[in-house]
Amino acid sequence: MTTPQSTAERPPRGEGAAQGKARDAYFDNAKYLTIVLVACGHAWEPLTYGSRASTAIYLLVYAFHMPAFALISGYFSRTFDMAPRRLQRLVTGVVVPYVVFEVAYTLFSRWAQDNPDEPFSLLDPWYVMWFLVALFIWRITTPLWLALRHPVPVALAVAALGTLSPETGGDLSLQRTLAFLPFFVLGLTLRQEHFARLRTWRARWIALPVGIVALITAYMVAPWFNSEWFYHRKSVAALGGGVPEWAGLVSTPLLFVGAVVLTACFLAWVPGRRTWFTALGAGTMYGYLLHGFIIKSARFGGWYDHPWLHTPLGELAVTAAAVAMITVLCTAPVRRALRGVVEPRMAWAFRRTGN
């Protein structure tokens, strides 16, 4: 769910001109607000136990925030064509950060959980790192999806079939990669005019009742609904509760439609003008990669054991802290300090090319 823009989400050179200007405030705003939802969702999880209202908001956010992140990433991957320069950016902006942060998270986990024997594994992404694996696979297959006549239905079929096999849930987080693939592919098919249709007051007023109905529905199902349906970490049969294996063939398109509707409602209310947080949209990959250390520190350190945090005021405090945290992590000083590992140039590693 991305100043210079992060190379993991940066439109290839030349795309900015096609869009009319190098950076679009609307998309930078959307990226920042999406990463805020990601951080809040992770911060809210421990608060959902015993709080129906918190669970309802949590379910609502989880129903669309990662689909929105994947859709926006797809939109900015539309011109990925396996040209040498774009392959270089894929390596420097996705592969290198994945290796660096996967090692860093493993070392962090060893220290925080006092488990020095925890193995390094590039095939088993740690916590938030699954998204970089997914982004690499999605990007590398982009030319194939763009060559298809009906790429979104095909991606949906692949995602639905993936829910039938428990073997796709482990290595490289393939279950998640396949589950969110349709949103990335949908993003590949979108153009400026599609977003322009959402940026009208008519669309915004329609989005309001839809969002309210979704929140009421989330509140109604909160006591019994299994949030694992939105995580996509396991096959459908592995979710338990007597769910048949074939249920994924039905749930996948239903969840897809619901997420797309909620994403559209969210994007309708994203401001198109420059705001105080517009520039932060360029640092979403920094916020995404770094916030996991803080979220997991809170969990490992027992910060949520304080009863006050589970009161309405405490929940608001956790939300404010999550927003402040992710905002700081997206700022220019953080980007400058860590650009060498998140957006390394690495000209020394590649042959000079004009493409």
Side-chain angles (χ1 to χ4, degrees), residues 5 11-12 14-29 75-76 78 192 199 271-274 278:
Q5 185 171 338
E15 184 173 339
Q19 294 174 336
K21 52 185 176 181
R23 299 202 65 86
D24 189 319
Y26 173 77
F27 288 108
D28 277 339
N29 293 337
Y75 178 74
F76 282 103
R78 292 170 297 150
Q192 277 276 12
R199 298 167 61 180
R273 66 186 185 282
R274 290 196 62 83
T278 299

Side-chain angles (χ1 to χ4, degrees), residues 72-353:
I72 294 172
S73 296
Y75 178 74
F76 282 103
S77 299
R78 292 170 297 150
T79 57
F80 185 87
D81 58 3
M82 305 292 282
R85 188 177 296 277
R86 293 183 178 120
L87 286 173
Q88 291 175 20
R89 285 201 294 270
L90 183 64
V91 171
T92 58
V94 178
V95 176
V96 172
Y98 173 72
V99 174
V100 171
F101 279 87
E102 183 64 28
V103 171
Y105 270 115
T106 302
L107 291 173
F108 166 75
S109 181
R110 286 182 173 187
W111 168 77
Q113 299 190 89
D114 194 22
N115 181 20
D117 296 325
E118 181 173 349
F120 291 103
S121 176
L122 295 179
L123 298 180
D124 185 17
W126 203 91
Y127 195 35
V128 298
M129 298 308 298
W130 71 269
F131 185 77
L132 266 68
V133 174
L135 187 59
F136 176 82
I137 294 174
W138 297 337
R139 277 271 174 89
I140 210 73
T141 59
T142 288
L144 170 62
W145 298 112
L146 293 178
L148 295 177
R149 190 181 298 273
H150 304 292
V152 176
V154 173
L156 265 175
V158 171
L161 291 174
T163 67
L164 303 179
S165 173
E167 302 301 323
T168 58
D171 289 350
L172 296 177
S173 292
L174 285 181
Q175 190 70 250
R176 279 175 162 171
T177 299
L178 296 181
F180 291 105
L181 171 66
F183 302 101
F184 178 84
V185 174
L186 176 60
L188 291 175
T189 68
L190 297 179
R191 297 296 180 265
Q192 277 276 12
E193 55 266 27
H194 297 118
F195 293 95
R197 294 173 188 171
L198 295 176
R199 298 167 61 180
T200 64
W201 279 108
R202 181 174 181 270
R204 290 168 184 165
W205 288 122
I206 293 174
L208 279 179
V210 173
I212 292 171
V213 169
L215 181 58
I216 293 173
T217 302
Y219 186 82
M220 293 174 61
V221 305
W224 55 266
F225 186 82
N226 185 359
S227 58
E228 285 283 348
W229 284 93
F230 295 142
Y231 301 160
H232 300 292
R233 293 184 297 200
K234 307 173 183 177
S235 66
V236 167
L239 295 177
V243 180
E245 291 185 357
W246 55 263
L249 300 177
V250 177
S251 65
T252 299
L254 289 178
L255 291 174
F256 174 79
V257 171
V260 169
V261 170
L262 291 175
T263 297
C265 292
F266 164 73
L267 291 174
W269 279 96
V270 170
R273 66 186 185 282
R274 290 196 62 83
T275 67
W276 65 267
F277 55 79
T278 299
L280 300 175
T284 54
M285 190 56 68
Y286 291 80
Y288 184 83
L289 292 172
L290 294 169
H291 85 282
F293 292 106
I294 301 173
I295 294 295
K296 283 299 184 181
S297 293
R299 299 295 295 273
F300 295 156
W303 299 0
Y304 287 93
D305 293 342
H306 298 283
W308 181 79
L309 291 180
H310 297 268
T311 66
L313 283 178
E315 292 166 354
L316 289 175
V318 169
T319 303
V323 174
M325 168 197 68
I326 203 68
T327 299
V328 170
L329 295 179
C330 292
T331 57
V334 174
R335 298 201 304 271
R336 284 195 296 268
L338 294 177
R339 183 164 291 137
V341 292
V342 178
E343 298 179 281
R345 295 301 178 187
M346 295 182 61
W348 54 268
F350 300 100
R351 295 178 179 178
R352 190 180 300 274
T353 175

